[in-house]
Amino acid sequence: MSGVTSATGSASCRFAQYFVVCGLDTETGLEPEELAGESFEQSPIRRSFKSKVLSHYPESTDRSPFNRDAVNMLCMPRGLSFRSQADSREPRFHSFTVARDDGTHSYGFVHMYYEEVTSAQITAAMQTLHQMHHVEHHSTSSSSPGSFQPARDTLYVSKALCLLTPLPFLLAARHFLSQLHQAVTSHAAPPLPLESYIHNILYEVPAPPPGRSLRFHGVQGPIVCQQPGPGELPLGDYPLGEAFSLLGVENLVRLLTSVLLETQVLLYSQDYQRLMTVAEGITTLLFPFQWQHVYLPILPTPLHHLLDAPVPFLMGIQRRDDLSLLLPSHPPLQANLCFVDIDNHRVDPPEDLPLFPDQLELIQELNEVLLRFGLQPYGTATTKPAPAAPPCFSSLVLEDLMEDRRNGNLGGEELAVLDRLQALARRCGGGGMAGGKTLERAFEEEEEELKAAKMNVQLREVFAGRFTSMFGRYEEFVIHTAPDLESWLGNREGTSNFDKGSFLSAQPATHLHFLSRFLETAMFSSFVDSKVLSRWADREPLQRVFDGRLERERLYNTFEDDPGNRHYRKCTVLLESVQAMERRLLKADHTAIHPHLLDMRIGQGRHQQGCFPRLQADVLAQGHHTNKWSSRYTPKRPLTTETTSGLDNDQREKYSPGRSLCQSKLLDPSPSAVTQTQRGFVEGLLRECRVKVRDLLKASECFPGSRVCEDIMMTFCDVLDLFGCSLFFGTAQIWSRSLRPFVSDWSTVWILLSNGSDSRRLEEGEVGRARAWIHLALEKKLLSQHLKLMLANHDLIRQLYKPCAFLLCEEEREQFLFHLLSLNTVDYLCFTRTFTSISIPYRVVITPMKKLSIAMTMSNPWVCVSGELGDSGVRQIPKNTQEIFFQCQNLGRLSTLQLGQENSGLLAKCLVDCVIVHNEITGHTYRFPCGRWLGKGVGDGSLERVLIGQLVSPGGEEDSGRWTGTPPEQCSPPQSGFTGSLGSLGRKLSSVQVQEDTREAVNNLVKHFHKAEQERGNLTALLCGEEGLVRSLEQFLLHGFKSSRLFQRSVFIWDFVGKFCLHLSTELCDSLCHYANAINASPRNIGKEGKFQLLVCLGVRDRLLPKWLPLLAECHLTAVQYEKSALVRDRAAVHTLSRVLHTLHEFPIALETALVKGVDL
């Protein structure tokens, strides 16, 4: 049932907050806009002058104080413009948004038109300026373009009518301002003074309740607005169809991806409203997330210094045809900048921008939605036959329909149509109106608006569906550790509220590049924080809507059981999503009271065509005309604002530590405000640097070498790049001029990337090399040292930095370097794992046992180094040396090393202590312990060893004994404690300890495969390392072996396996014998220890090991060779071990080539 409502008395529930008039102040005269960047060579009529707020009503409100300077700049971003009668003077419309310090927004809607200058003082001043310009530039013609003669020309100046609202009621505000301007330019006076209509919109028209629509009256007819219901998407009046038409579907998806990853986004267009359409369209598509950084879709000329802000931003600037462009056709390349040229339909995203998950399928679904509404995928309208013109509805037809209504001959739908026709007829004055608009045309316009609104909802539902699919189970990964609100707020920055590693491990592999970076953004952190906070306070409105959608999805069980193999599912609620909105727009739920005559002084409100009157301030200062409907409705807080209900002021301040920037100060161009804004940028950067360092340290500890580490490293580079941008020069200039003189690694990076093929993964030019340098310096643990050296050159820093730059301040510079210094406690392989195609020089040194001088003879030794990216191939060591230097493609993190020599008799033998491999670029040193003989007639007679490496530290062999903060990986079994032979066994383990070691080795393998693939370590180390499966099984088989008491001979387990194969022959025994014989037949001479190691590895790979152990235990040779207390003679122990090993059958075990080379099984 439709009701009449009013908003008198409560500013928070009104449709509009302020009505503003901006323009020329005749009392102050013409003041040039000095910050416009214009040349005095231009004609004065083409220059910009300062505008002023001429009037605004009311004076102020408690919840939304009036910001005079900000509103003035945003109403007229270029200042005042003058025109003559020969110039185009078409009215223009644009909107803007103003952020307040509490995170809420106000929306401004501006109708700018040209009004004749009636002040003789202003006309004379313009004539004087033209005469001065004529003399200075020796103009030869008084009628040249841009000239002005008062006797011949009529001077016009721009004026802006603005309406400020708490919600983005774009269409309603535009209609109201347009009707107001038409009343000013009309020959006939409006029915009521303009004050009546302005007073009505300010004090008597409420915002529509959630889920309802409202009809109010402008100067020439009714206007309808609506607000979504509690379960619907928030209000979004800006036409998304226009944004898709301007940029195209693929470009807009790329732009959305850049915004989601919080890059710097710069919009560029000649039309201010296009800037707002794209910016607001993108931010509405972010649901349920919210942009957390600088947001200025229209950046006025006096605020262009904010383009140098070293923080993520979303800003727009106007293209100027009459001036040299603020940006060249190709803007300076910045690593983190997305440049959007709206007029030329171009989006230049940052380099290495990941694809949005299921991007191709998403684009296809968006294309289908656009086609349903008559738009081609790339924005052009489809060519359809022109529909037959609907009949013109005359007043006679309306009278007949109204008679039917009175007689009860019309149904519900027909009544709704009649209501629309009556409203259109009133708006058009029957058959036509002064502007030439017919009822037919008005009906078509209303249909177009309804169509655009439906398209908006369906496009937004597609994206909302994607986020629902991606984050449908996000609540399962939210970490709740704090017992109460105060403890959580007090330690908020030091704790993690989301299990990123587990969440990513459950996602499809193709989504990880985007999701791992998105989880590091402020908008996602804020979203998770709001979820945690909801335990003690009201949920954020957007999160409440999103969680409600997730609950409905779970109710209908639409989530897939295996999110890692998720398939693309199109949005299924497109049709039903628009039904409620369509009903609201077709039939208003409430009607505001009509404008009425106010108590005005005689002579006020007189109509003068083309001139906006001086309004009577006393009747517009406040709404003192109450009525019986004043308090019938008090709307809820709109969905587009942030709320922290349940928090006191101190708690609310703790909850928003990231908002160090005072939003109101961003729009203040005064020097003191600029300084305060820059200080806020500095504090935010230092805080972000601290957080990223903490995240890097934590991720390196929990997920070494994982995708989580890589993407935190990427965002860390973004932060350092923002530090570089604070130089207010191009980033490339900073790095190239400041690093080259000091850091030799710069030339190394230059050569490597110039010769390699990894440049495709980097931004071109200096920016890409700078990021590569950061990766390399961090891997070498020299980043803080290098930057300290760079910043110590005060002359160069003063040359590059502006005086206000924070790195010129000692305290901030030391904080920055201190945060970077803490990164030296962890080993990073960010350079090695990022630039995989470059050529790396390696140095290999063989270290013999120093106590045995005879252990130095080797015959044609060789090495083959293997890593996660490949192997070096066989490299022959020069004669009479124990060292080799070679260069090959990046091997990644090193894992194994094959060391061998030729079979050249009994004298060619060497007791090798270890092998050292040094990466000459990153400085990483790997130690491959051996502790065994290499040669015939000694040890197990091996001429080849497969050694397992461990990362020691960056810095070379001299640091080989110093461990870093990261626990080393398992390495080759050392000499002391284990060599695999009985004669050299240095210690005996109890049966309990042997069984515990075996279970732990198997457990480590199980945990390895249960990790996400990108988080797994080195499988070879878990199999063959010091605490690996091979060693634990050998200890199991050595336990209770009788031969350890005989002559102290070196008897190996492989000898026992060989005897077993000779005496037994069954089907299972045949498989064991087949493997043993194949290993013995291999051309490689890997010795008895190596053969046993290979047998165990092959048995695990082929799922045969649990079957072989009982055969060995039941063999009659076992009773002869082992004591009764031996584990291998304990059936329960053997059965338990077989069951434990059987748990490895479900995992695909792939062996390194270095282990199985030469064996064909």
Side-chain angles (χ1 to χ4, degrees):
M1 174 185 250
S2 179
V4 181
T5 61
S6 171
T8 304
S10 177
S12 62
C13 67
R14 297 172 185 161
F15 173 86
Q17 297 167 320
Y18 293 96
F19 178 79
V20 187
V21 181
C22 296
L24 172 64
D25 187 351
T26 56
E27 295 181 2
T28 59
L30 296 180
E31 298 181 57
E33 184 61 82
E34 299 174 355
L35 299 177
E38 297 171 324
S39 170
F40 282 99
E41 295 183 358
Q42 286 184 302
S43 170
I45 203 172
R46 297 289 181 258
R47 299 176 194 168
S48 297
F49 296 87
K50 289 184 178 179
S51 63
K52 298 289 180 62
V53 173
L54 303 181
S55 58
H56 70 280
Y57 309 100
E59 187 65 28
S60 186
T61 62
D62 295 335
R63 298 195 58 160
S64 179
F66 186 74
N67 190 335
R68 176 182 293 268
D69 293 334
V71 171
N72 179 51
M73 280 192 300
L74 293 169
C75 281
M76 309 190 83
R78 289 180 56 180
L80 291 173
S81 300
F82 284 89
R83 296 288 187 271
S84 69
Q85 78 284 354
D87 300 317
S88 173
R89 303 189 306 278
E90 288 295 322
R92 291 181 178 274
F93 173 85
H94 77 269
S95 55
F96 61 85
T97 180
V98 178
R100 290 189 288 272
D101 294 336
D102 63 355
T104 59
H105 288 76
S106 288
Y107 292 85
F109 305 97
V110 182
H111 185 93
M112 196 274 290
Y113 67 100
Y114 287 91
E115 190 174 84
E116 183 178 350
V117 176
T118 57
S119 169
Q121 179 185 355
I122 299 299
T123 303
M126 182 61 70
Q127 182 182 14
T128 302
L129 289 174
H130 269 280
Q131 290 172 350
M132 294 172 60
H133 179 266
H134 175 76
V135 172
E136 291 176 0
H137 296 86
H138 309 287
S139 178
T140 58
S141 171
S142 60
S143 61
S144 59
S147 63
F148 173 72
Q149 294 292 333
R152 181 195 65 199
D153 299 321
T154 303
L155 189 64
Y156 295 87
V157 66
S158 56
K159 178 173 280 190
L161 307 178
C162 174
L163 203 61
L164 286 173
T165 67
L167 291 173
F169 295 119
L170 172 70
L171 297 177
R174 185 169 191 168
H175 284 314
F176 178 83
L177 293 173
S178 176
Q179 292 184 22
L180 198 65
H181 176 242
Q182 289 172 6
V184 171
T185 58
S186 175
H187 293 285
L192 296 171
L194 296 185
E195 285 88 344
S196 296
Y197 300 100
I198 296 171
H199 181 277
N200 179 255
I201 195 73
L202 288 177
Y203 302 111
E204 297 170 337
V205 177
R212 297 299 183 91
S213 56
L214 173 75
R215 178 192 292 113
F216 64 93
H217 292 267
V219 181
Q220 297 177 339
I223 301 170
V224 177
C225 64
Q226 61 90 30
Q227 191 175 172
E232 300 176 58
L233 294 176
L235 179 64
D237 242 7
Y238 286 82
L240 279 172
E242 181 180 348
F244 278 94
S245 297
L246 289 170
L247 295 178
V249 177
E250 187 174 351
N251 275 340
L252 195 133
V253 172
R254 282 206 295 260
L255 173 58
L256 178 67
T257 306
S258 299
V259 172
L260 285 167
L261 298 182
E262 296 184 338
T263 66
Q264 293 180 328
V265 178
L266 183 59
L267 309 177
Y268 193 47
S269 176
Q270 194 169 10
D271 188 345
Y272 288 124
Q273 187 56 20
R274 284 186 174 184
L275 297 175
M276 276 296 294
T277 297
V278 173
E280 282 293 305
I282 283 294
T283 53
T284 57
L285 294 179
L286 295 179
F287 171 85
F289 309 103
Q290 291 178 290
W291 180 256
Q292 301 290 316
H293 304 282
V294 178
Y295 181 69
L296 289 171
I298 296 179
L299 188 66
T301 301
L303 300 181
H304 278 179
H305 64 273
L306 291 176
L307 290 172
D308 300 317
V311 293
F313 58 69
L314 201 166
M315 294 192 285
I317 61 174
Q318 187 193 33
R319 183 194 303 270
R320 300 287 294 271
D321 292 333
D322 54 341
L323 299 174
S324 57
L325 294 181
L326 293 169
L327 289 177
S329 58
H330 297 283
L333 187 61
Q334 296 185 17
N336 205 34
L337 176 67
C338 178
F339 180 69
V340 184
D341 189 345
I342 300 175
D343 299 337
N344 291 319
H345 322 294
R346 193 181 92 215
V347 174
D348 295 329
E351 292 292 335
D352 201 27
L353 183 73
L355 293 177
F356 191 85
D358 297 318
Q359 179 166 311
L360 294 178
E361 293 84 352
L362 173 63
I363 291 174
Q364 178 62 33
E365 185 176 7
L366 292 171
N367 288 336
E368 293 173 2
V369 173
L370 294 173
L371 284 171
R372 281 199 294 269
F373 287 94
L375 287 180
Q376 290 285 7
Y378 295 98
T380 58
T382 56
T383 56
K384 292 184 178 179
C392 294
F393 295 96
S394 66
S395 58
L396 179 62
V397 174
L398 289 177
E399 291 175 3
D400 292 340
L401 290 173
M402 292 172 66
E403 182 67 25
D404 287 338
R405 178 180 184 177
R406 285 192 292 268
N407 295 332
N409 296 327
L410 297 182
E413 294 183 1
E414 294 165 321
L415 287 173
V417 173
L418 176 59
D419 288 339
R420 292 180 63 195
L421 292 176
Q422 286 182 283
L424 289 170
R426 288 193 297 268
R427 189 184 310 171
C428 299
M433 58 185 294
K437 183 184 294 186
T438 63
L439 181 61
E440 176 186 344
R441 177 58 183 155
F443 192 85
E444 290 177 357
E445 288 183 357
E446 190 169 290
E447 287 294 327
E448 286 297 322
E449 290 178 1
L450 178 60
K451 173 182 171 182
K454 293 166 67 175
M455 189 193 312
N456 263 18
V457 173
Q458 292 197 7
L459 290 171
R460 294 174 64 195
E461 284 288 352
V462 171
F463 285 96
R466 298 313 309 134
F467 288 121
T468 301
S469 174
M470 286 188 284
F471 297 98
R473 301 180 185 273
Y474 85 97
E475 294 169 302
E476 301 173 11
F477 304 95
V478 176
I479 302 173
H480 298 282
T481 56
D484 53 60
L485 176 60
E486 281 299 327
S487 60
W488 180 75
L489 291 174
N491 195 34
R492 180 184 173 199
E493 191 174 312
T495 59
S496 176
N497 297 325
F498 195 76
D499 188 353
K500 299 175 184 177
S502 299
F503 176 80
L504 292 175
S505 65
Q507 304 306 311
T510 54
H511 296 185
L512 293 180
H513 194 192
F514 169 82
L515 287 175
S516 55
R517 290 179 60 178
F518 178 69
L519 298 188
E520 301 300 321
T521 60
M523 72 174 72
F524 183 77
S525 297
S526 176
F527 177 77
V528 174
D529 286 348
S530 298
K531 184 63 179 179
V532 176
L533 188 68
S534 65
R535 297 170 60 194
W536 306 287
D538 294 341
R539 281 186 295 179
E540 296 284 350
L542 293 182
Q543 192 158 47
R544 186 164 57 245
V545 175
F546 186 67
D547 288 349
R549 287 171 168 248
L550 298 186
E551 291 172 6
R552 288 195 299 273
E553 294 284 342
R554 296 190 192 99
L555 181 64
Y556 293 105
N557 196 26
T558 58
F559 291 127
E560 298 182 28
D561 295 333
D562 184 7
N565 294 319
R566 184 186 303 125
H567 299 288
Y568 188 88
R569 187 167 58 90
K570 291 184 178 181
C571 183
T572 58
V573 296
L574 292 182
L575 296 179
E576 63 184 74
S577 63
V578 301
Q579 292 174 356
M581 182 271 299
E582 186 175 11
R583 178 195 59 78
R584 291 192 294 267
L585 289 179
L586 293 179
K587 189 178 191 317
D589 299 300
H590 302 280
T591 301
I593 64 173
H594 287 240
H596 51 85
L597 192 62
L598 303 176
D599 185 12
M600 298 176 61
R601 294 191 300 270
I602 298 176
Q604 291 292 322
R606 183 175 299 171
H607 177 71
Q608 182 180 352
Q609 183 184 359
C611 180
F612 194 83
R614 184 184 296 273
L615 301 174
Q616 187 171 328
D618 55 343
V619 299
L620 295 177
Q622 57 184 348
H624 33 210
H625 295 275
T626 59
N627 54 72
K628 63 181 179 180
W629 298 290
S630 296
S631 304
R632 290 189 59 176
Y633 160 63
T634 300
K636 298 179 181 179
R637 190 82 178 271
L639 285 181
T640 55
T641 60
E642 298 180 9
T643 61
T644 51
S645 302
L647 304 183
D648 57 34
N649 290 334
D650 293 338
Q651 291 173 333
R652 190 173 290 109
E653 187 172 345
K654 290 180 182 179
Y655 173 68
S656 306
R659 291 187 184 135
S660 57
L661 292 177
C662 182
Q663 295 293 329
S664 59
K665 293 296 183 183
L666 284 177
L667 297 172
D668 188 348
S670 64
S672 60
V674 171
T675 300
Q676 183 176 343
T677 298
Q678 290 172 341
R679 183 69 191 178
F681 289 153
V682 171
E683 293 174 357
L685 274 178
L686 289 175
R687 180 173 53 254
E688 187 71 11
C689 183
R690 181 173 66 249
V691 170
K692 292 305 178 189
V693 167
R694 181 204 68 192
D695 291 346
L696 268 175
L697 294 175
K698 187 178 296 184
S700 299
E701 178 182 354
C702 300
F703 314 108
S706 69
R707 167 68 71 177
V708 177
C709 286
E710 293 179 17
D711 287 286
I712 294 178
M713 183 62 205
M714 179 66 70
T715 58
F716 177 70
C717 281
D718 292 340
V719 173
L720 292 185
D721 185 62
L722 292 175
F723 275 103
C725 289
S726 63
L727 291 168
F728 305 109
F729 283 86
T731 309
Q733 182 183 7
I734 302 165
W735 294 116
S736 61
R737 295 183 63 179
S738 58
L739 297 185
R740 282 180 183 172
F742 301 108
V743 185
S744 61
D745 288 332
W746 178 264
S747 58
T748 301
V749 168
W750 185 287
I751 295 172
L752 288 176
L753 297 188
S754 298
N755 296 334
S757 59
D758 267 298
S759 56
R760 57 183 171 81
R761 296 199 52 188
L762 286 168
E763 306 82 31
E764 297 177 0
E766 302 281 358
V767 173
R769 282 184 278 269
R771 290 203 160 193
W773 179 89
I774 293 174
H775 282 73
L776 180 58
L778 184 60
E779 188 164 325
K780 297 181 72 172
K781 302 187 178 182
L782 295 173
L783 181 60
S784 179
Q785 177 181 332
H786 283 344
L787 290 179
K788 183 176 182 180
L789 182 64
M790 179 191 78
L791 296 175
N793 189 319
H794 299 292
D795 293 336
L796 182 61
I797 297 303
R798 289 194 188 96
Q799 177 185 352
L800 294 178
Y801 282 79
K802 288 188 174 181
C804 56
F806 81 97
L807 284 181
L808 291 175
C809 302
E810 186 69 25
E811 181 181 351
E812 285 77 8
R813 184 165 65 240
E814 290 302 319
Q815 288 186 51
F816 173 58
L817 295 174
F818 175 78
H819 294 323
L820 298 184
L821 184 62
S822 60
L823 291 172
N824 291 354
T825 61
V826 176
D827 291 321
Y828 297 97
L829 297 173
C830 46
F831 182 86
T832 300
R833 285 177 170 153
T834 302
F835 307 102
T836 56
S837 300
I838 60 176
S839 183
I840 298 287
Y842 294 94
R843 180 159 54 96
V844 181
V845 179
I846 301 175
T847 305
M849 282 291 184
K850 297 180 180 179
K851 62 182 180 180
L852 296 176
S853 58
I854 61 172
M856 299 292 292
T857 305
M858 296 186 71
S859 174
N860 298 324
W862 55 268
V863 294
C864 178
V865 184
S866 300
E868 57 189 359
L869 300 179
D871 64 71
S872 65
V874 173
R875 303 283 177 164
Q876 206 73 37
I877 299 177
K879 192 174 183 180
N880 299 324
T881 64
Q882 284 84 43
E883 182 175 345
I884 182 176
F885 181 93
F886 62 87
Q887 191 160 335
C888 67
Q889 185 169 308
N890 185 6
L891 302 177
R893 181 165 190 150
L894 304 186
S895 56
T896 59
L897 180 142
Q898 296 169 252
L899 172 65
Q901 66 170 340
E902 290 184 359
N903 184 9
S904 300
L906 296 177
L907 296 179
K909 56 187 178 180
C910 178
L911 183 57
V912 179
D913 178 32
C914 66
V915 180
I916 302 293
V917 179
H918 184 65
N919 185 317
E920 298 290 309
I921 297 298
T922 65
H924 280 136
T925 298
Y926 295 84
R927 189 173 186 270
F928 295 82
C930 181
R932 297 172 177 79
W933 284 96
L934 191 68
K936 294 191 65 175
V938 287
D940 63 345
S942 173
L943 295 179
E944 179 184 336
R945 299 283 183 192
V946 178
L947 309 179
I948 311 301
Q950 59 191 17
L951 177 62
V952 179
S953 74
E957 303 94 325
E958 62 272 17
D959 298 327
S960 60
R962 179 170 57 85
W963 298 110
T964 64
T966 303
E969 290 186 353
Q970 299 181 34
C971 56
S972 305
Q975 182 185 24
S976 61
F978 172 64
T979 65
S981 65
L982 296 172
S984 56
L985 190 62
R987 64 188 177 98
K988 291 185 178 181
L989 299 178
S990 66
S991 60
V992 174
Q993 184 63 48
V994 170
Q995 293 179 84
E996 180 64 29
D997 289 348
T998 307
R999 285 193 295 267
E1000 184 65 23
V1002 175
N1003 188 41
N1004 288 336
L1005 286 167
V1006 173
K1007 289 190 292 186
H1008 169 85
F1009 286 103
H1010 276 289
K1011 293 179 181 178
E1013 186 173 354
Q1014 65 272 16
E1015 297 172 12
R1016 297 173 184 173
N1018 186 1
L1019 177 61
T1020 303
L1022 296 177
L1023 289 172
C1024 308
E1026 182 179 359
E1027 298 177 0
L1029 180 63
V1030 173
R1031 178 182 185 274
S1032 64
L1033 287 178
E1034 192 153 7
Q1035 289 285 9
F1036 186 93
L1037 294 175
L1038 285 173
H1039 184 267
F1041 203 84
K1042 291 180 180 179
S1043 298
S1044 59
R1045 299 177 181 177
L1046 301 175
F1047 310 113
Q1048 297 299 315
R1049 293 180 60 248
S1050 295
V1051 178
F1052 296 90
I1053 294 299
W1054 186 254
D1055 294 329
F1056 175 68
V1057 173
K1059 293 179 180 178
F1060 172 85
C1061 293
L1062 290 175
H1063 288 80
L1064 294 178
S1065 177
T1066 64
E1067 183 176 351
L1068 286 176
C1069 293
D1070 286 345
S1071 68
L1072 176 59
C1073 296
H1074 173 66
Y1075 275 71
N1077 294 333
I1079 293 173
N1080 280 324
S1082 170
R1084 300 173 62 190
N1085 194 334
I1086 55 177
K1088 297 176 182 178
E1089 291 180 26
K1091 291 177 180 179
F1092 178 77
Q1093 174 178 283
L1094 182 54
L1095 179 68
V1096 172
C1097 291
L1098 292 173
V1100 172
R1101 184 196 69 179
D1102 298 338
R1103 299 173 174 84
L1104 295 172
L1105 195 57
K1107 301 176 181 178
W1108 290 345
L1109 284 175
L1111 294 177
L1112 292 173
E1114 294 168 4
C1115 176
H1116 69 276
L1117 292 175
T1118 304
V1120 177
Q1121 296 288 340
Y1122 285 89
E1123 299 175 352
K1124 289 186 178 181
S1125 60
L1127 286 173
V1128 75
R1129 296 186 63 179
D1130 185 344
R1131 291 190 175 183
V1134 173
H1135 177 69
T1136 300
L1137 178 57
S1138 296
R1139 290 180 58 189
V1140 170
L1141 292 173
H1142 194 272
T1143 60
L1144 299 177
H1145 286 189
E1146 61 181 291
F1147 307 117
I1149 296 179
L1151 303 177
E1152 282 193 34
T1153 305
L1155 294 176
V1156 298
K1157 185 166 59 176
V1159 179
D1160 185 16
L1161 285 172

